[in-house]
Amino acid sequence: GEHLRICPQGYTCCTSEMEENFANKSRSEFEAMMKEAGRSVQTTLTAQHRSFDSYFQDLLNKSEKALYDAFPSMYGELYTQNMKVFKDLYSELRRYYRGSNINLEEALNEFWTRLLERLFKQMNPQYHITDEYLDCMVKHAEQHKPFGEVPRELKVKATRAFIAARSYAQGFLVGSDVVRKVSQVSLSQECTRAIMKLMYCPHCRGMASVKPCNNYCLNVVKGCLANQADLNTEWKYLMDSLMVVADRIDGPYNVDTVIGTIHMRISEAISNLQENKDSVTAKVFQGCGNPKISTKGSSSEDKKRRGKVTLEAKSSAQALEMLVLDAKGNLTALKTYWITLPSSLCSKKVMASSGMDDKCWNGMTKGRYEWRGYLPEVMGDGLANQINNPEVEVDITKPDMIIRQQIMQLKIMTNRLGNANIGNDVDFQDASE
């Protein structure tokens, strides 16, 4: 066996060519195991994203539909002539949730301003109201709160709920993407040799059925996945942050209550304006002067409400509670993924033998796992702990750049979730860079 370059050079069943084939085979098998392990994590995270996303979009759709169904009979022309204002609001909310760089507070302010301009004009059809006059009206009216407290309350609650919801949904996607990219990192030359020695050198010695010793397997895999284990800290922070935000979504920033009742709050605001119409108009005239009487005359102030329609929001609080419980269970299970990966690969895939058994493959022959006369300890996790790895030569001064970039992505996302937790918005642009 002097011709062997990787396996022990005793009597052998392998030619050089076979050894090379085994090396390639072990490499592709190990990389496939890594991808498969990663795929199950990705599947879990994308499934969580999908279920929350469809729940959230459904809430928004139901609120919008309730508005379109009820407002025509409640407000008549006040609604039908201003439909676009309502449509635009919902489409801005959707765009924000999907990650567009929209300032949510500004979008809400813009909605109330446009609505006030339209309704003020319609409520005073006998006057000729110019754009300049409307600008003055908006300035004066805002201090008199024509819509009552609704705009302020909705702004506070909706921005918190939307910020939490969109960073929560995004967090699952970022986690899944990190796993996908890291699972594609290929093995170094030293690792290919070590994995081959672990998995296929027993074949060359005619011991195809002898499994590798467990600690031997762990040292090889921990050495080869040292960079991956360095994701552990930031990965755990991401999982924890997602759980904290999940509690917000089903707690103080309750998306079910806030998002599911937007149409009701708008209706309340319009009712406030209708009730205060005379005093709002009087204050505007006082501040901006009397507008000219319109030549068209006072045609159609819309008839008062046509019959009472009750607006309601169907609660889906139980569905939300189940979603959050399910997510937290999955996130807890995934927390230690990167540092338990070596032992799960050794036990499941490479099928290492258990315990301190002396009938296992130790890298040289069948026997106890020893190295230069002593029992080697199992290495710690991560790059810095591989300095004395007896099985794989790992250059601890050269971290893998792809993995470092992914650690950075985890940090950015965790930071965003931390901000969402306290109701702060963070620009989403950097996610795609």
Side-chain angles (χ1 to χ4, degrees):
E2 292 89 348
H3 58 281
L4 297 181
R5 298 219 303 281
I6 299 173
C7 293
Q9 297 188 333
Y11 284 110
T12 184
C13 316
C14 289
T15 60
S16 300
E17 192 184 354
M18 283 164 76
E19 191 185 38
E20 196 176 324
N21 288 342
F22 275 142
N24 293 334
K25 185 173 163 61
S26 58
R27 178 189 191 131
S28 60
E29 280 177 15
F30 188 78
E31 286 177 354
M33 286 176 212
M34 274 289 296
K35 280 187 188 146
E36 190 193 329
R39 260 195 300 274
S40 76
V41 178
Q42 285 171 252
T43 304
T44 304
L45 291 171
T46 45
Q48 288 302 328
H49 171 266
R50 202 176 306 117
S51 53
F52 176 74
D53 182 61
S54 66
Y55 163 81
F56 189 83
Q57 303 258 19
D58 194 44
L59 267 184
L60 211 46
N61 294 343
K62 280 182 178 147
S63 165
E64 186 173 22
K65 183 177 185 308
L67 187 145
Y68 295 157
D69 288 349
F71 276 34
S73 51
M74 285 172 79
Y75 301 114
E77 282 180 17
L78 276 187
Y79 169 69
T80 50
Q81 293 186 6
N82 299 306
M83 265 171 72
K84 187 170 173 355
V85 180
F86 300 106
K87 274 205 162 80
D88 288 350
L89 171 68
Y90 279 95
S91 72
E92 283 293 271
L93 292 175
R94 271 192 199 88
R95 284 181 55 218
Y96 174 84
Y97 168 70
R98 291 193 190 118
S100 295
N101 195 14
I102 290 170
N103 183 314
L104 195 54
E105 288 196 11
E106 280 173 18
L108 287 165
N109 290 341
E110 172 72 5
F111 164 72
W112 293 116
T113 302
R114 284 177 64 203
L115 190 61
L116 181 59
E117 290 174 349
R118 299 292 197 85
L119 298 187
F120 185 79
K121 250 180 148 166
Q122 262 175 286
M123 287 172 170
N124 296 288
Q126 68 274 40
Y127 294 105
H128 174 63
I129 295 174
T130 62
D131 288 348
E132 288 77 12
Y133 193 87
L134 282 180
D135 289 342
C136 175
M137 181 276 295
V138 168
K139 284 195 196 89
H140 277 79
E142 269 173 5
Q143 66 206 43
H144 308 310
K145 299 187 176 161
F147 293 119
E149 289 298 328
V150 175
R152 191 188 59 80
E153 286 171 10
L154 187 65
K155 182 156 51 173
V156 171
K157 289 181 175 165
T159 47
R160 280 177 170 179
F162 268 92
I163 290 164
R166 93 161 176 177
S167 58
Y168 182 68
Q170 178 100 5
F172 288 112
L173 294 180
V174 167
S176 173
D177 198 48
V178 165
V179 178
R180 182 180 62 79
K181 287 182 176 144
V182 171
S183 301
Q184 291 170 349
V185 171
S186 49
L187 288 182
S188 68
Q189 211 46 52
E190 289 77 11
C191 269
T192 304
R193 295 170 67 86
I195 295 284
M196 150 74 184
K197 202 169 155 193
L198 175 79
M199 290 166 73
Y200 283 109
C201 286
H203 293 246
C204 293
R205 301 300 293 270
M207 303 178 189
S209 60
V210 179
K211 293 174 178 175
C213 304
N214 193 48
N215 287 358
Y216 166 44
C217 178
L218 284 174
N219 278 344
V220 170
V221 180
K222 282 189 177 210
C224 288
L225 301 184
N227 279 287
Q228 284 82 341
D230 281 345
L231 286 153
N232 179 53
T233 305
E234 291 304 329
W235 179 259
K236 269 193 351 206
Y237 286 155
L238 179 68
M239 301 295 113
D240 285 336
S241 306
L242 279 166
M243 285 197 258
V244 171
V245 174
D247 281 332
R248 289 284 186 199
I249 282 170
D250 189 27
Y253 301 167
N254 197 299
V255 296
D256 178 62
T257 328
V258 177
I259 312 303
T261 59
I262 291 174
H263 58 291
M264 294 165 74
R265 304 312 310 269
I266 294 174
S267 172
E268 196 186 320
I270 295 174
S271 302
N272 289 342
L273 179 65
Q274 287 180 324
E275 277 153 31
N276 304 320
K277 179 195 161 205
D278 294 341
S279 77
V280 169
T281 302
K283 283 169 184 161
V284 169
F285 284 5
Q286 194 184 342
C288 303
N290 288 359
K292 291 187 177 130
I293 300 287
S294 169
T295 47
K296 288 180 204 150
S298 63
S299 54
S300 68
E301 185 195 342
D302 203 44
K303 295 163 201 61
K304 278 284 173 223
R305 305 196 184 194
R306 322 167 168 193
K308 194 82 173 140
V309 178
T310 49
L311 270 181
E312 52 184 63
K314 293 181 181 60
S315 173
S316 54
Q318 208 178 351
L320 178 61
E321 201 178 316
M322 293 309 292
L323 271 179
V324 165
L325 266 175
D326 186 42
K328 286 167 81 173
N330 280 308
L331 291 165
T332 305
L334 291 179
K335 257 189 339 190
T336 55
Y337 172 69
W338 297 107
I339 49 170
T340 51
L341 187 57
S343 50
S344 77
L345 289 175
C346 282
S347 60
K348 275 195 222 121
K349 313 287 194 250
V350 183
M351 302 303 283
S353 70
S354 54
M356 296 299 293
D357 139 25
D358 55 4
K359 308 233 174 358
C360 52
W361 171 253
N362 62 17
M364 297 302 285
T365 183
K366 182 158 101 173
R368 253 182 358 160
Y369 177 45
E370 291 182 344
W371 196 67
R372 297 183 182 161
Y374 69 93
L375 297 173
E377 56 179 316
V378 175
M379 296 292 106
D381 301 302
L383 200 55
N385 283 314
Q386 305 312 312
I387 191 159
N388 294 319
N389 191 319
E391 305 307 333
V392 196
E393 208 176 300
V394 183
D395 184 347
I396 66 165
T397 64
K398 289 206 176 100
D400 180 281
M401 287 330 287
I402 293 177
I403 291 176
R404 296 292 127 174
Q405 282 164 355
Q406 295 315 305
I407 291 175
M408 201 58 220
Q409 288 304 321
L410 292 174
K411 277 186 177 160
I412 291 170
M413 192 63 235
T414 301
N415 177 38
R416 196 171 286 152
L417 285 159
N419 273 295
N421 184 37
I422 51 174
N424 287 345
D425 204 354
V426 178
D427 178 17
F428 259 41
Q429 293 314 89
D430 54 357
S432 56
E433 277 170 21

